Amino acid sequence: MKDGAVSAMKGVASGVSPQLKLYDVTHEIPAYDIWEASYRLVQTAPYWPIGTVFVSVVDPGVGTDRKSVVLLSKSGHYFVTPDNGTLTLIAEQLGIQEVREINEAENRRKNSGESYTFHGRDVYAFTAARLAAKVITLAEVGPKLPNQVVTIPYQKASFDKNEVTGAIPILDIQYGNVWTNIDKKVFNQLNVNIGDNLKVRILRNNEKIYEGTVRYVNTFGEVQEGENVGYFNSLLHFSLGINMGNFSEKYKVYSGNQWSIVLSK
């Protein structure tokens, strides 16, 4: 939102159809952070109506031979984006119904062929708007591809030898809470109860960054101000925080596919 780029994309979409409803997911993805783009999509998409078209442009490879695609998920949502890892979590959690490569000869803004560095405006916003406005069908986007996309590797949540291991895909950035991908089904194998203490070890590329103990609670008000807590966030994944504090900042714990966490009793 710092310059005219977002407005230009919205202008292109509105030029296709002024009746389209345009909304923002976020414009605060760190530069080049494809992993965070992947997470923000899967965090958001399930709460939108079937048929919603999402445009995601975190595209450090713009102008190269990476594919431009539209993915239709099994949940009935459309995603218009470079196939560079952005669809990692959408494919895994919402499933792939169909993938099409965008035919830029047909689905590109008129007279934009000499522009190589703003496919968000010239290809993605244009194609997404045409799809959402039913100017084109999914089949008219371009050739069908196999039901697979480029993915980013990360630590899956698992239980083994009385420990739960998972990833730290994202931060609750406003408050510095640390969100993991550990759901209740995996976590419950530890057999801990509300009020119990948990041992926590956090690693970056297998190097230990933090080791300590947190109290497992339902909500922050159950502990004193400044106390560390473990809890389940709004997406029902295990998370770490400090009541009225910033866990990430205090312990220099951040997020991404290179971060992992180990929990034990």
Side-chain angles (χ1 to χ4, degrees), residues 40-75:
R40 295 306 181 197
L41 280 178
V42 83
Q43 178 188 12
T44 305
Y47 303 99
W48 284 83
I50 291 171
T52 299
V53 180
F54 293 86
V55 179
S56 179
V57 190
V58 177
D59 193 13
V62 63
T64 68
D65 59 0
R66 56 89 186 101
K67 287 183 171 64
S68 297
V69 300
V70 177
L71 180 148
L72 172 61
S73 67
K74 289 183 178 178
S75 62

Side-chain angles (χ1 to χ4, degrees), residues 124-142:
Y124 302 133
F126 183 72
T127 301
R130 281 158 60 83
L131 191 59
K134 296 181 168 49
V135 174
I136 59 172
T137 65
L138 180 60
E140 292 173 305
V141 164

Side-chain angles (χ1 to χ4, degrees), residues 166-183:
I168 301 175
I170 209 75
L171 300 179
D172 182 7
I173 196 69
Q174 182 70 18
Y175 304 102
N177 300 328
V178 173
W179 286 11
T180 80
N181 64 337
I182 299 169
D183 62 22

Side-chain angles (χ1 to χ4, degrees), residues 6-254:
V6 172
S7 182
M9 290 176 65
K10 290 182 176 180
V12 168
S14 297
V16 171
S17 172
Q19 282 71 50
L20 287 174
K21 297 178 180 179
L22 306 177
Y23 303 92
D24 299 300
V25 176
T26 177
H27 299 294
E28 298 296 328
I29 302 291
Y32 322 121
D33 195 337
I34 297 167
W35 173 260
E36 182 160 331
S38 177
Y39 190 91
R40 295 306 181 197
L41 280 178
V42 83
Q43 178 188 12
T44 305
Y47 303 99
W48 284 83
I50 291 171
T52 299
V53 180
F54 293 86
V55 179
S56 179
V57 190
V58 177
D59 193 13
V62 63
T64 68
D65 59 0
R66 56 89 186 101
K67 287 183 171 64
S68 297
V69 300
V70 177
L71 180 148
L72 172 61
S73 67
K74 289 183 178 178
S75 62
H77 300 91
Y78 296 87
F79 301 88
V80 185
T81 182
D83 183 20
N84 58 4
T86 299
L87 294 167
T88 297
L89 298 176
I90 289 295
E92 180 182 294
Q93 296 185 33
L94 300 188
I96 300 175
Q97 186 175 151
E98 191 170 331
V99 182
R100 295 268 174 174
E101 183 173 5
I102 298 174
N103 177 1
E104 294 185 20
E106 299 291 334
N107 294 301
R108 186 181 178 115
R109 188 176 63 85
K110 188 178 179 180
N111 298 324
S112 67
E114 293 186 4
S115 173
Y116 297 98
T117 59
F118 198 178
H119 285 184
R121 176 195 65 196
D122 299 331
V123 179
Y124 302 133
F126 183 72
T127 301
R130 281 158 60 83
L131 191 59
K134 296 181 168 49
V135 174
I136 59 172
T137 65
L138 180 60
E140 292 173 305
V141 164
K144 190 174 182 180
L145 298 173
N147 281 4
Q148 59 190 44
V149 292
V150 174
T151 58
I152 300 170
Y154 69 96
Q155 173 67 56
K156 305 293 178 67
S158 63
F159 175 81
D160 185 50
K161 297 178 182 177
N162 297 316
E163 292 185 334
V164 165
T165 301
I168 301 175
I170 209 75
L171 300 179
D172 182 7
I173 196 69
Q174 182 70 18
Y175 304 102
N177 300 328
V178 173
W179 286 11
T180 80
N181 64 337
I182 299 169
D183 62 22
K184 286 195 172 185
K185 182 178 180 180
V186 175
F187 178 85
N188 286 342
Q189 294 178 78
L190 283 175
N191 292 316
V192 296
N193 299 309
I194 292 295
D196 289 349
N197 288 328
L198 279 171
K199 296 176 183 177
V200 178
R201 191 164 73 253
I202 296 175
L203 306 100
R204 184 179 186 274
N205 292 327
N206 296 317
E207 177 187 353
K208 186 170 67 179
I209 303 298
Y210 168 84
E211 188 167 24
T213 300
V214 303
R215 187 175 166 199
Y216 173 42
V217 298
N218 281 318
T219 190
F220 292 88
E222 297 174 25
V223 300
Q224 297 297 313
E225 184 173 330
E227 188 175 342
N228 293 349
V229 296
Y231 68 102
F232 277 84
N233 65 17
S234 58
L235 301 178
L236 299 181
H237 287 125
F238 183 80
S239 303
L240 299 170
I242 300 174
N243 187 21
M244 302 293 286
N246 188 312
F247 193 101
S248 170
E249 189 176 272
K250 181 174 181 178
Y251 298 111
K252 308 305 177 190
V253 172
Y254 304 106

